[in-house]
Amino acid sequence: TSTVSTAINQNLHKTYHSQFHDRVNVRYQTMDSLLEKSKQYAITSISTGSVSFLCSSTIVCILMRSHDGLVKTYHRLLLGMCIGDMISSLVYMMSTWVMPSDVDYYVWNASGNV
């Protein structure tokens, strides 16, 4: 019975250590995948925000250079919508840049100074 109990204890010890290492590995994999998702979010928000800002500013330039100018209500509404979109695109584009640099382990490209 002594050898049987020793074998059981060794198996339990191996099982406990393997479960512990599995938990630790899962935690690191989770942080890595979280940082990877954060990187994907940052790149997506920067690129789509930049394209949206560029397109809205192009529409504003076209409206300002047109012969009718801002005489028509449609042009004034379009100008207001484009300015609102430019502001929201700028905020969306800088969403990760303004985060404090202390959270760079959690948010990719965080470079704020708070």
Side-chain angles (χ1 to χ4, degrees):
T1 58
S2 167
T3 56
V4 172
S5 64
T6 304
I8 290 173
N9 284 337
Q10 287 175 350
N11 285 339
L12 287 175
H13 187 70
K14 287 178 185 177
T15 305
Y16 173 76
H17 279 292
S18 67
Q19 288 175 353
F20 175 75
H21 289 297
D22 288 344
R23 279 192 221 127
V24 170
N25 289 337
V26 167
R27 182 175 295 155
Y28 287 125
Q29 288 172 357
T30 304
M31 287 301 290
D32 289 341
S33 65
L34 192 65
L35 189 60
E36 185 64 30
K37 287 179 185 177
S38 172
K39 184 177 180 178
Q40 291 170 355
Y41 169 75
I43 291 171
T44 303
S45 65
I46 290 169
S47 60
T48 57
S50 300
V51 169
S52 179
F53 186 84
L54 182 66
C55 291
S56 291
S57 61
T58 302
I59 292 173
V60 167
C61 288
I62 290 171
L63 284 175
M64 299 307 278
R65 293 183 68 186
S66 69
H67 294 292
D68 294 336
L70 298 176
V71 175
K72 295 183 179 180
T73 305
Y74 173 74
H75 289 171
R76 290 192 300 264
L77 285 172
L78 193 58
L79 177 70
M81 288 173 51
C82 286
I83 290 173
D85 183 57
M86 288 170 63
I87 292 169
S88 66
S89 297
L90 190 64
V91 169
Y92 194 62
M93 207 168 48
M94 297 189 328
S95 63
T96 59
W97 293 341
V98 296
M99 292 186 183
S101 57
D102 296 351
V103 296
D104 62 347
Y105 62 90
Y106 185 69
V107 176
W108 183 78
N109 202 22
S111 56
N113 60 357
V114 176

